[in-house]
Amino acid sequence: MTDWVIETHNLTKIYQMGNIEVRALDGIDIQIERGSVISIMGPSGSGKSTLMNLLGCLDRPTGGDYILDGIHVGKMKDDELADVRNRKVGFVFQSFNLLPRQTSMANVELPMRYAGIIKGRREKAAQALQAVGLADRMTHKPTELSGGQQQRVAIARALVNDPAIIMADEPTGNLDSKSGKEIMELILNLNKTKGTTIIIVTHDPVVAEQTQRIIRLIDGKVLAEDGIA
Amino acid sequence: MNFGQAIIEAIESLNANKTRSGLTILGIVIGVAAVIAMLAVGNGAQNTITGSISGLGSNLLFVFRGNFTEEVRNPEYLTQADADAISDPFQAPSVAMVAPVINSNLEVTFSGEKTTPTINGVTPSYQQVRNMTLAEGEFINEEHILGLASVAVIGTDVADTLFGHRDGLIGETIRIEGQPFRIIGVLESVGGSAFGSEDNVVNIPITTAQTRLIRRASDRVDSILVQAASADSVSQATEEISEILRYRHRTKLGADDFTVFSQQDFVKTAQTITNVLTIFLGGIAGISLLVGGIGIMNIMLVSVTERTKEIGLRKALGARRKDILIQFLTESSLLSLLGGVIGIGLGWLIAFIVGKIAAASNTQLNPVVGLDAILLATLFSTAVGLFFGIYPANRAASLQPVEALRHE
């Protein structure tokens, strides 16, 4: 029996645009093994952002079931979803999305604050920043950091609550190729050392090829899965 | 998410937009300052008025002609005989002393200077009933009354206007409507009162006034001042006076054609008036506070729109509805609390300046900033911030994370 961290059954998302129903996701059945690195690819409008939002518990499916780390999240209320995001999911965004007026330290502490952790918060945040190689940038604000460094802070923030999965949405999209490569190395390394499941949504075939498995979407359906590993 | 952190974060975010936060706070500052200043001036006015009424004398009763609450046709004038009847210890045992008064505003001159004070025609008992003390000289006595003497006891305002100083005036001759009067005493200053300055008076013997200055038919008097024997017997005295006058004026049936006012009645009436005044002023000031509150709501709504993406991110990281609600409510309450604190200071300053201006223009008005006003203003301004913050904060908290994150 494989240990699935993500299981979806007939996952469907329908948007109502006036009178027209748009089936953004049309019966997705995927399983993702714990500790794997996978990528989701597809052209714009294929539903990959919708899938990421659902897998990251940012949104609720219209139909079907989604089990994340053993929890049925399909029918949860807003605040319950917030808790699940807080404990189970780490997000890395294309545009970093750091709080601009806060230091790296405060940015990394944020998920722990919402988790209600007070004791040892600073130490854990410091450890996370150390893990992404920013031990000397803890008191810097995002504007004082390069793009690559900002993305590192975002990664530290994503992993600080020890989530079951890390969702990365075009993590290298806003970076030059050198920093992009470093960020990918860092992400893959995290997977190796900590065993965190990593899901990368990307357009970039170079990024996708570094993952163990690629899920290709088109018109809200899984087109093909290429296993590499 | 603990509270201290929420406050620190709110300060940071308000600090990031100093001009905007400052202007928003200004709205509350003006509102709170207006409330504080208005309440202070209202309180001050009340203290001055009630204080001066109490300063008129002790256990004092005023008898006036006519009925203040009911319409009475042809009310009889009060007379010297009425006053004599009231002073009869057998008919009115609770009355200690009676002072009939006639008065008018007449022109008083001294070597080119002139003024128009209140001329009181009084009896010797007036001094005691009104609790007057003399700075120098003596008060009108029984001989002056009998001899229709042309003597005057003047107040300090009159002394200031006519002579420019207050002492050494005994023996000087002033002219009232052209008739010479010799000054025999100068009163101690008592300050303003509900009836104008009590220092701007000239007291002369009542008989002299009746015959030569304020011509009244027969022995008519304008009012009768009565001192009750003690504080406890004030209402008893009122009853006795009323009985006597009803009998004398033959109004046993129907409404009285006179009115007996006690000092307490005056104080109460004055308090009612000043209370209405204070509420009115405070209400107007309250409106500006309300406008300030709407300013907060406006700014917070702008802030929510501006920070939609930040809210989305916080939600993605696990912020619950409550967390976002607290964040924005903390900001709006902080704005109004800050405005409230500064407003209290400013209001205090305004009250102080009003007091100074009043003192400079010889009006006795000491604005009092009460602890209750401060508490009220602080509570009210914070409540305004909370109330007007609820709508924007709620809007922020109900944002869906997906849409908020997509917002640019």
Side-chain angles (χ1 to χ4, degrees):
Chain A
M1 176 101 191
T2 329
D3 182 13
W4 305 119
V5 68
I6 284 177
E7 271 181 88
T8 73
H9 301 291
N10 196 24
L11 201 63
T12 310
K13 182 75 183 178
I14 299 166
Y15 291 112
Q16 197 77 36
M17 307 281 250
N19 285 331
I20 308 153
E21 273 189 1
V22 179
R23 287 184 168 263
L25 287 181
D26 194 1
I28 302 280
D29 287 289
I30 48 173
Q31 284 89 31
I32 294 168
E33 202 179 329
R34 190 182 299 280
S36 60
V37 182
I38 72 144
S39 53
I40 299 173
M41 289 192 80
S44 359
S46 62
K48 62 181 190 315
S49 294
T50 311
L51 182 58
M52 192 199 102
N53 288 340
L54 288 183
L55 294 183
C57 301
L58 288 168
D59 206 356
R60 269 183 294 258
T62 319
D65 201 4
Y66 171 36
I67 303 153
L68 168 65
D69 204 17
I71 308 166
H72 289 260
V73 291
K75 299 267 181 295
M76 279 189 161
K77 293 195 184 71
D78 284 353
D79 278 356
E80 292 170 322
L81 276 181
D83 282 340
V84 171
R85 283 196 296 271
N86 186 250
R87 284 180 287 110
K88 301 287 184 192
V89 188
F91 287 96
V92 178
F93 301 95
Q94 178 174 0
S95 51
F96 324 136
N97 281 358
L98 299 174
L99 296 182
R101 288 185 296 273
Q102 312 266 3
T103 60
S104 320
M105 193 73 169
N107 266 294
V108 175
E109 278 184 55
L110 198 59
M112 289 190 279
R113 261 172 53 194
Y114 290 131
I117 300 167
I118 295 168
K119 234 175 75 182
R121 206 159 72 189
R122 293 195 71 80
E123 292 73 25
K124 271 193 91 173
Q127 270 172 24
L129 280 166
Q130 217 156 7
V132 297
L134 286 179
D136 54 343
R137 291 284 188 276
M138 288 184 189
T139 54
H140 289 59
K141 293 188 176 173
T143 43
E144 301 158 348
L145 298 173
S146 72
Q149 287 170 326
Q150 288 188 49
Q151 196 61 302
R152 280 163 193 269
V153 175
I155 291 169
R157 182 180 65 188
L159 62 87
V160 77
N161 266 0
D162 289 321
I165 59 167
I166 287 183
M167 301 280 316
D169 183 7
E170 303 275 11
T172 59
N174 276 13
L175 300 174
D176 58 84
S177 58
K178 183 170 166 284
S179 340
K181 224 170 129 187
E182 282 170 13
I183 290 297
M184 272 314 289
E185 269 168 28
L186 182 64
I187 292 175
L188 294 174
N189 204 34
L190 269 178
N191 169 257
K192 267 187 210 117
T193 54
K194 292 195 139 197
T196 317
T197 314
I198 290 170
I199 302 164
I200 303 172
V201 176
T202 185
H203 271 113
D204 188 350
V206 181
V207 169
E209 269 159 26
Q210 298 176 60
T211 62
Q212 298 156 2
R213 191 176 140 202
I214 303 172
I215 297 171
R216 291 180 195 279
L217 286 183
I218 194 149
D219 294 338
K221 291 189 167 104
V222 178
L223 179 72
E225 289 196 36
D226 333 339
I228 288 172
Chain B
M1 182 138 146
N2 66 21
F3 201 59
Q5 200 111 32
I7 289 175
I8 291 168
E9 208 162 276
I11 290 172
E12 274 171 359
S13 116
L14 296 178
N15 204 26
N17 241 318
K18 284 196 193 70
T19 321
R20 184 200 284 177
S21 305
L23 287 172
T24 314
I25 288 173
L26 191 63
I28 295 292
V29 167
I30 290 170
V32 170
V35 169
I36 292 276
M38 291 304 156
L39 291 184
V41 170
N43 270 342
Q46 186 154 39
N47 286 352
T48 305
I49 293 169
T50 54
S52 65
I53 292 171
S54 312
L56 289 176
S58 43
N59 311 328
L60 207 51
L61 289 163
F62 302 81
V63 185
F64 297 110
R65 171 191 178 226
N67 192 314
F68 292 180
T69 50
E70 283 174 77
E71 175 111 4
V72 178
R73 278 167 177 248
N74 302 325
E76 254 185 73
Y77 289 102
L78 295 170
T79 61
Q80 186 65 50
D82 287 333
D84 292 342
I86 293 167
S87 57
D88 179 352
F90 295 104
Q91 288 188 65
S94 303
V95 169
M97 202 165 279
V98 179
V101 182
I102 62 174
N103 49 30
S104 185
N105 290 318
L106 300 173
E107 191 177 83
V108 179
T109 53
F110 177 81
S111 69
E113 302 292 334
K114 66 178 179 182
T115 176
T116 313
T118 305
I119 309 294
N120 287 324
V122 299
T123 55
S125 56
Y126 188 72
Q127 183 191 5
Q128 215 172 329
V129 170
R130 284 294 312 275
N131 223 352
M132 284 170 159
T133 43
L134 287 157
E136 63 175 1
E138 51 169 357
F139 202 74
I140 292 153
N141 61 32
E142 218 40 71
E143 268 173 53
H144 296 134
I145 299 284
L146 292 172
L148 307 186
S150 293
V151 293
V153 176
I154 64 171
T156 46
D157 279 3
V158 177
D160 288 343
T161 323
L162 295 183
F163 301 97
H165 56 99
R166 294 175 179 184
D167 39 53
L169 301 177
I170 308 299
E172 295 285 355
T173 301
I174 54 172
R175 286 179 181 273
I176 306 177
E177 294 286 296
Q179 302 183 42
F181 279 78
R182 186 167 51 86
I183 296 174
I184 56 164
V186 180
L187 293 167
E188 200 86 67
S189 174
V190 288
S193 87
F195 316 109
S197 174
E198 287 291 316
D199 293 327
N200 195 23
V201 292
V202 174
N203 296 315
I204 58 174
I206 189 166
T207 46
T208 317
Q210 270 170 336
T211 50
R212 289 171 47 192
L213 281 178
I214 313 166
R215 296 184 200 283
R216 298 276 190 242
S218 61
D219 59 349
R220 242 176 74 188
V221 297
D222 292 328
S223 59
I224 303 173
L225 270 58
V226 180
Q227 188 171 38
S230 69
D232 298 331
S233 59
V234 168
S235 59
Q236 181 64 35
T238 308
E239 227 11 78
E240 290 166 6
I241 294 165
S242 300
E243 270 311 309
I244 293 166
L245 290 180
R246 271 179 213 135
Y247 176 76
R248 291 183 55 83
H249 292 188
R250 298 182 184 84
T251 53
K252 275 264 172 211
L253 294 169
D256 295 339
D257 64 350
F258 58 89
T259 305
V260 184
F261 255 130
S262 72
Q263 237 166 337
Q264 279 85 346
D265 292 334
F266 269 122
V267 170
K268 267 187 218 145
T269 312
Q271 268 173 347
T272 315
I273 294 167
T274 49
N275 273 345
V276 168
L277 193 79
T278 308
I279 290 168
F280 176 70
L281 291 176
I284 289 177
I287 289 174
S288 62
L289 189 52
L290 203 70
V291 173
I294 293 171
I296 285 192
M297 177 151 78
N298 202 351
I299 284 305
M300 291 310 291
L301 278 175
V302 171
S303 173
V304 168
T305 313
E306 254 185 14
R307 284 151 69 190
T308 302
K309 187 150 193 184
E310 178 197 318
I311 296 161
L313 169 76
R314 286 173 183 274
K315 288 204 149 187
L317 296 182
R320 285 174 217 92
R321 208 188 136 71
K322 195 185 73 191
D323 296 318
I324 303 292
L325 211 59
I326 288 175
Q327 186 191 343
F328 279 88
L329 282 182
T330 310
E331 270 181 40
S332 62
S333 329
L334 212 63
L335 277 177
S336 62
L337 187 70
L338 217 63
V341 170
I342 300 172
I344 288 168
L346 187 67
W348 207 313
L349 192 73
I350 292 173
F352 179 75
I353 291 170
V354 167
K356 283 280 165 213
I357 291 171
S361 59
N362 257 328
T363 317
Q364 233 186 18
L365 177 68
N366 234 335
V368 185
V369 180
L371 192 67
D372 51 344
I374 290 174
L375 276 176
L376 190 80
T378 316
L379 276 178
F380 194 49
S381 68
T382 313
V384 159
L386 269 176
F387 179 76
F388 287 106
I390 284 173
Y391 177 60
N394 203 30
R395 208 148 124 172
S398 343
L399 284 172
Q400 283 304 309
V402 184
E403 277 141 49
L405 269 174
R406 215 182 286 144
H407 187 92
E408 281 303 331

